[in-house]
Amino acid sequence: MSPYHLVFAFLLFGAIIEYWQKKTPKWMLYLSFGVMTLMLCLRFGQGTDYTAYRMIFYTMPTSVSGMLSYRYAKAEIGWRVMTMLLRRLSVPFELFVFVLSALQMWMLWRFVKRFCKNKMLALFLGYHTLYLTYLFSAMRQGTVIILFLGLLLPWLLEGKWVRYCLAAAALMTIHSVALILFVPVVVLSIRLSVEKIIACVLVGFCLGTLLSIFGVGNILSAIGVSYAGESDISLVALVERIASFILVSYMYYLYSDGMAPSEDDSYFKLFKIYAFGILIYGLLMWSPLISSRTIYALKVLEIPLIATCIDKCRKGRSIVILYCALLCTVLYVKNIDSCITQVQYVNTSVLNYPYYSIWDKEACIAGRETSSRYYEWLYRTQR
């Protein structure tokens, strides 16, 4: 059985045990986190973007002028400078991935430890997309998201605005998606009730629907806006976001005992930020690629909200666990199937999806279609 499936099943089992015992089994938490850390740090060729980043790493010029004029990738200046310096020091890509992955998992640990009461449930909720997509594959965006969760978010909630804004600006040199991190600063400065927040989200989806009907995505694509018109609205993603928002809103209502929340409450702040992330998704729903990539750093805040507010669901707690299990299973299978299709694995299905470590380089290269650009990139940078 695929190691990915074993970890998925163990996290689900741990979340169920946590539900029954009403406390986190520490040995399961430490074992899960340790295995996930090793898998991330020691991976080779995993995910849709790993091979592209490897190619960029080994083709990045080591001169400043060459780095600035490098046109092979659209990487922001911070990532370019870091790659150039590592190339000058002759650091292997595998060592860079190991160190970066260890940093990412440390940030994930800080986030889960501080904001998630039911930690096994939190790891389970984050496994299918945060871990397997953004940390395993989308290195730049994953780094931005995980640094926001583990480092910047505490500063934001503590009101350390200058430090937070400077850090967010620095992260924009890694990936421009960090621009979305300035939205919470505005959101937290506005006093809104839960009812008004929900109303704003509804208005956002209504406006997004109108923009989709009028073909805004195709119009922007015609004038050169990247990704604007590359795909149709994903009904699966749309239904998942709406259903999850309804669930999180209901759970937060129970968490607050139906009372007007304090503006100083950390979880009310998290709910506000999360809700406005969903609002932005609604406004941008005419472009699934732009909307999903833009708001994920805010959407991921549903993890601490669900993993903490679930304790208030005295009657419907089993339904919440079942919903999370079914949703995560669907998204887990969908993400792996998407990776298999894009990377063009040979004789591979979701059931036997392989994990390749740094000791399995030859097998990883041999496991791809020879016509695939991923095969070419891995082969050229390995030989």
Side-chain angles (χ1 to χ4, degrees):
M1 181 180 289
S2 170
Y4 293 106
H5 303 343
L6 294 175
V7 174
F8 180 85
F10 189 79
L11 291 175
L12 175 58
F13 179 67
I16 294 173
I17 294 297
E18 189 176 58
Y19 161 69
W20 281 339
Q21 295 183 349
K22 293 182 172 55
K23 65 177 181 180
T24 301
K26 290 187 177 181
W27 72 271
M28 296 186 77
L29 176 64
Y30 296 148
L31 178 60
S32 302
F33 197 84
V35 171
M36 290 171 66
T37 300
L38 287 175
M39 288 181 66
L40 189 66
C41 289
L42 300 176
R43 74 192 189 278
F44 179 82
Q46 301 285 276
T48 56
D49 294 343
Y50 179 98
T51 48
Y53 278 115
R54 183 182 177 85
M55 188 67 176
I56 293 170
F57 186 89
Y58 282 117
T59 57
M60 178 65 70
T62 55
S63 65
V64 174
S65 59
M67 178 269 297
L68 293 175
S69 61
Y70 184 60
R71 298 182 179 276
Y72 183 80
K74 298 179 180 178
E76 282 76 4
I77 187 64
W79 189 269
R80 289 173 180 243
V81 171
M82 179 175 62
T83 303
M84 180 194 70
L85 293 176
L86 292 173
R87 291 279 289 131
R88 285 186 176 184
L89 296 173
S90 300
V91 174
F93 184 69
E94 289 80 1
L95 178 58
F96 165 61
V97 169
F98 185 96
V99 174
L100 179 63
S101 299
L103 171 65
Q104 291 174 337
M105 291 304 291
W106 177 39
M107 291 295 108
L108 179 61
W109 176 257
R110 283 169 54 94
F111 169 66
V112 170
K113 184 178 179 181
R114 174 159 181 172
F115 296 107
C116 306
K117 183 175 181 180
N118 294 282
K119 296 175 176 55
M120 288 300 297
L121 177 59
L123 286 182
F124 177 67
L125 292 172
Y127 182 69
H128 57 81
T129 300
L130 175 62
Y131 180 75
L132 285 183
T133 298
Y134 286 98
L135 299 189
F136 253 76
S137 182
M139 292 185 190
R140 290 187 298 127
Q141 191 168 349
T143 299
V144 168
I145 293 171
I146 207 65
L147 285 174
F148 165 67
L149 297 177
L151 189 64
L152 275 69
L153 187 58
W155 296 343
L156 177 67
L157 300 184
E158 292 166 6
K160 298 176 180 178
W161 307 108
V162 175
R163 184 184 302 182
Y164 175 86
C165 290
L166 289 175
L171 289 180
M172 287 185 64
T173 69
I174 302 298
H175 198 294
S176 57
V177 77
L179 180 64
I180 197 70
L181 301 184
F182 290 97
V183 170
V185 177
V186 178
V187 169
L188 294 185
S189 66
I190 303 172
R191 301 181 69 89
L192 290 171
S193 65
V194 174
E195 292 79 7
K196 289 181 179 179
I197 292 172
I198 294 174
C200 289
V201 173
L202 291 175
V203 170
F205 272 89
C206 290
L207 291 175
T209 301
L210 290 175
L211 293 174
S212 300
I213 293 173
F214 288 110
V216 171
N218 294 329
I219 295 172
L220 292 176
S221 179
I223 61 176
V225 178
S226 300
Y227 307 121
E230 289 194 4
S231 58
D232 298 325
I233 295 176
S234 171
L235 291 179
V236 174
L238 181 61
V239 170
E240 181 269 326
R241 281 157 178 77
I242 293 175
S244 295
F245 177 71
I246 293 173
L247 175 66
V248 171
S249 299
Y250 175 69
M251 292 176 66
Y252 182 75
Y253 174 80
L254 295 178
Y255 173 79
S256 61
D257 294 321
M259 305 294 289
S262 169
E263 289 288 338
D264 295 326
D265 178 67
S266 294
Y267 288 96
F268 179 57
K269 291 180 180 179
L270 292 180
F271 177 73
K272 286 176 69 175
I273 298 169
Y274 162 74
F276 274 85
I278 299 300
L279 184 155
I280 294 171
Y281 172 84
L283 287 172
L284 300 176
M285 61 189 293
W286 40 267
S287 174
L289 282 173
I290 293 178
S291 59
S292 60
R293 294 183 181 185
T294 299
I295 64 97
Y296 189 77
L298 308 185
K299 181 185 181 297
V300 77
L301 295 180
E302 68 189 12
I303 292 176
L305 288 167
I306 293 175
T308 299
C309 298
I310 191 173
D311 285 349
K312 288 286 187 175
C313 300
R314 297 182 180 89
K315 294 183 179 180
R317 196 174 180 188
S318 298
I319 297 176
V320 173
I321 292 292
L322 179 60
Y323 170 81
C324 291
L326 292 175
L327 175 65
C328 290
T329 300
V330 170
L331 294 177
Y332 172 68
V333 172
K334 174 181 174 293
N335 289 343
I336 288 183
D337 182 68
S338 176
C339 183
I340 292 172
T341 301
Q342 293 182 49
V343 177
Q344 296 178 271
Y345 282 99
V346 177
N347 299 322
T348 301
S349 67
V350 172
L351 291 177
N352 65 349
Y353 181 61
Y355 171 79
Y356 294 113
S357 72
I358 56 176
W359 296 287
D360 304 316
K361 294 181 180 179
E362 295 296 334
C364 179
I365 296 172
R368 286 159 167 75
E369 294 283 356
T370 56
S371 60
S372 167
R373 69 179 185 275
Y374 297 99
Y375 175 89
E376 179 188 358
W377 289 346
L378 278 180
Y379 187 87
R380 286 172 57 186
T381 55
Q382 175 61 18
R383 300 290 175 174

